[in-house]
């Protein structure tokens, strides 16, 4: 991940004790973005990662809404919303920096006229 996204992600994880950073995972839908050089973050449950090789639930008829922990979904949603908010805050900071730099350079040129 680019440093800005990684920093925002760690900020969100630090503020949400229910979220943890796992090991890099190169399988899954997000890998299509990675293969194209685009940053991507996989969101999964710890249970799935720990039991990926032996579990018999995913993509079966038993994999339905009855097994969803809606509290955890809510926690993850809040975390993802926090990440998006951090990224926008970072973007605004960067844009503001460039705007101020541009205005400064413009003032230098104006004073030369």
């Amino acid at each position: 991940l680019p440093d800005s996204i990684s920093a925002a992600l760690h900020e969100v994880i630090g503020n949400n004790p229910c979220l943890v950073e796992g090991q890099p995972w190169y399988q899954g839908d997000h890998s299509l973005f990675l293969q194209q050089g685009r940053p991507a973050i996989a969101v999964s449950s710890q249970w799935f990662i720990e039991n990926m090789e032996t579990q018999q639930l995913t993509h079966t008829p038993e994999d339905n809404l009855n097994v969803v922990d809606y509290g955890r979904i809510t926690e993850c949603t809040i975390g993802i919303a926090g990440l998006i908010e951090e990224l926008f805050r970072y973007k605004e900071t960067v844009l503001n920096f460039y705007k101020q730099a541009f205005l400064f350079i413009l003032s230098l040129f104006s004073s030369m006229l």
Side-chain angles (χ1 to χ4, degrees):
L1 290 175
D3 290 342
S4 59
I5 296 175
S6 183
L9 178 61
H10 287 106
E11 175 83 16
V12 169
I13 289 173
N15 291 332
N16 293 279
C18 61
L19 302 177
V20 296
E21 183 175 7
Q23 296 297 316
W25 183 36
Y26 301 104
Q27 300 170 334
D29 297 336
H30 72 290
S31 67
L32 298 173
F33 292 94
L34 297 173
Q35 292 169 13
Q36 299 301 314
R38 302 290 185 253
I41 298 171
V43 177
S44 186
S45 71
Q46 187 67 31
W47 178 90
F48 179 75
I49 300 299
E50 290 173 355
N51 297 285
M52 188 179 335
E53 300 298 323
T54 59
Q55 61 90 17
Q56 308 239 338
L57 176 67
T58 305
H59 302 302
T60 70
E62 287 78 31
D63 189 4
N64 59 56
L65 295 176
N66 293 327
V67 298
V68 173
D69 181 342
Y70 292 99
R72 290 295 290 156
I73 295 291
T74 302
E75 291 169 350
C76 289
T77 302
I78 291 169
I80 292 168
L83 174 60
I84 293 168
E85 184 179 329
E86 283 297 315
L87 291 174
F88 273 110
R89 185 175 299 130
Y90 176 80
K91 178 183 174 188
E92 290 300 316
T93 301
V94 171
L95 290 176
N96 191 42
F97 169 79
Y98 283 117
K99 177 182 174 186
Q100 295 304 318
F102 174 76
L103 291 174
F104 175 72
I105 292 167
L106 187 61
S107 70
L108 289 176
F109 282 120
S110 296
S111 66
M112 297 167 97
L113 299 176

